[in-house]
Amino acid sequence: MSALTVQRSSVPVVPTDQASTVVQLIALVGRSLRTTARVPQLLMFSLTMPLAMLVLFSQVFRSVEAAPDFPAGVAYIDFITPAMLAVATVMAGTNVGVAAAIDHTNGLHDRFRTLAMPRALPGIARTINEVLFTIARAVLLVGAAALLLGFRFHGDALDAASALVVLVALAGAMSALFGRIGDHLRRPDVVQFAGMMLMMPLMFVSSAFAPLDTMPRWMRVLANGNPVSHATDALRGAVLGTSTGGDVLTAALAAAVMWAVVVAVPARRR
């Protein structure tokens, strides 16, 4: 009896709740990645659409370069590329909302509620999935812009790291926003339209495509409260080598405030 007691006491005690939560999160992230990979068309468009838009906007709006309020000595391709990083992150957020709606349509969330796991875990897994694809899109977009359009990164390694922090923060905020929309609307087609209606002002009422000084006063007021504007300014500063810690902090805080507001919205109950 004593030998058996000693043998049992030698087995390490693992905190089951924490361990199971980590295992569940890894499984959900793996599921999100596999689900995305199983639709190669969606994967291809989500990675290449920002590049197509970069080519289009860099040619159509390049006359903005001649405006008196445009930064002196800055090529428009260097001005627009960091903006497209932010815009692509906003656009991809709708995929999170659609994925959440599909999970509700398939009854997967109902099954999740029967499991002993935190209710926020599926949303966290979708956010991690989106962060990984945000980094992949950024590498593809910057590489293609440098090879095909003459884009140049004027910053240093610290600027590149700060840009990555801003992108990750923005991706988290957009994932939370569109994911909550998907959780509330629960129809993929409706989520797509709702996401488009929200995505357009986030993209265009910002400093992404033109300096704020060229906009009407009322639009400047809205743009100054837009997290995409702050993310764009911080990314642009990193690209041009003029970024400051204040720019990065402001962008990260703006994204964090959006995330906190979205998370504070009560989840829809059946």
Side-chain angles (χ1 to χ4, degrees):
M1 179 66 67
S2 60
L4 181 59
T5 303
V6 172
Q7 183 178 1
R8 286 182 176 175
S9 64
S10 64
V11 178
V13 178
V14 178
T16 307
D17 293 340
Q18 295 180 3
S20 62
T21 299
V22 172
V23 171
Q24 289 166 347
L25 179 59
I26 293 174
L28 289 172
V29 171
R31 171 188 170 272
S32 296
L33 292 172
R34 288 192 300 272
T35 301
T36 304
R38 285 171 184 166
V39 188
Q41 297 89 347
L42 178 61
L43 180 60
M44 179 188 68
F45 283 121
S46 66
L47 291 176
T48 59
M49 179 62 74
L51 177 58
M53 291 184 64
L54 176 62
V55 174
L56 177 64
F57 284 121
S58 65
Q59 303 304 311
V60 172
F61 294 114
R62 64 186 308 170
S63 60
V64 174
E65 197 175 64
D69 294 322
F70 193 81
V74 177
Y76 189 67
I77 186 60
D78 295 342
F79 181 87
I80 193 66
T81 298
M84 286 307 307
L85 292 173
V87 167
T89 304
V90 177
M91 292 173 58
T94 58
N95 296 336
V96 179
V98 171
I102 291 175
D103 285 346
H104 283 288
T105 302
N106 294 339
L108 191 61
H109 272 277
D110 292 334
R111 281 176 275 176
F112 284 156
R113 278 198 292 268
T114 66
L115 300 177
M117 72 176 187
R119 296 188 62 179
L121 218 56
I124 295 173
R126 287 193 296 265
T127 297
I128 294 175
N129 177 76
E130 184 54 36
V131 166
L132 294 176
F133 278 99
T134 295
I135 296 173
R137 275 192 304 270
V139 172
L140 178 64
L141 189 68
V142 170
L147 291 174
L148 303 176
L149 300 172
F151 167 76
R152 289 182 56 203
F153 186 83
H154 301 270
D156 54 21
L158 183 59
D159 290 320
S162 65
L164 182 61
V165 169
V166 171
L167 270 182
V168 169
L170 184 63
M174 293 298 117
S175 295
L177 174 62
F178 290 104
R180 185 53 58 94
I181 290 174
D183 287 335
H184 275 266
L185 298 180
R186 301 188 179 183
R187 284 189 52 181
D189 53 346
V190 178
V191 171
Q192 284 184 323
F193 281 108
M196 183 67 69
M197 291 181 63
L198 186 59
M199 181 177 66
M200 297 300 285
L202 284 173
M203 288 168 48
F204 291 104
V205 185
S206 71
S207 58
F209 301 107
L212 294 184
D213 292 339
T214 63
M215 299 179 181
R217 183 175 180 179
W218 65 269
M219 188 174 288
R220 289 200 303 269
V221 173
L222 294 177
N224 284 325
N226 185 352
V228 179
S229 276
H230 296 294
T232 299
D233 292 341
L235 291 169
R236 188 169 286 141
V239 165
L240 299 177
T242 60
S243 178
T244 65
D247 294 335
V248 176
L249 182 60
T250 300
L253 285 177
V257 168
M258 170 176 277
W259 178 87
V261 170
V262 170
V263 171
V265 176
R268 175 182 168 183
R269 299 184 182 276
R270 297 182 66 87

